[in-house]
Amino acid sequence: RSDGTVVTWGGQRDDSPTGAGFVAIACGALHSVALRSDGTVVTWGGDSYFSQRDDAPTGDGFVAIACCAHHSVALRNDGTVVTWGGDSYF
């Protein structure tokens, strides 16, 4: 939404993020990732096998996010890339 809030539907509604300030969203097979305007990353959704939430990066300085079926990627403002999630299918 233009006010920076996230709207979700389907199976991931219960733990979707609240508040405003989101600038990007990416979706995997069972998980989602959002980027806040302050450069922090928020994850929600399926976590049974691929540690999408437990292994998500902390801190700020992120400028872009992307997801595939079972893994996620975030780009930091210094050009480094952080990846997390499943790697047994790639």
Side-chain angles (χ1 to χ4, degrees), residues 11-13 15-16 30-32 43-48 52-53:
Q12 296 183 17
R13 292 179 300 172
D15 59 349
S16 60
L30 299 172
H31 72 286
S32 299
T43 63
W44 70 98
D47 195 38
S48 299
Q52 289 297 326
R53 289 180 286 184

Side-chain angles (χ1 to χ4, degrees), residues 16-67:
S16 60
T18 59
F22 293 95
V23 296
I25 297 175
C27 299
L30 299 172
H31 72 286
S32 299
V33 178
L35 178 64
R36 290 186 183 269
S37 59
D38 65 0
T40 57
V41 172
V42 178
T43 63
W44 70 98
D47 195 38
S48 299
Y49 303 104
F50 301 108
S51 296
Q52 289 297 326
R53 289 180 286 184
D54 294 340
D55 295 339
T58 58
D60 58 8
F62 293 96
V63 296
I65 53 172
C67 293

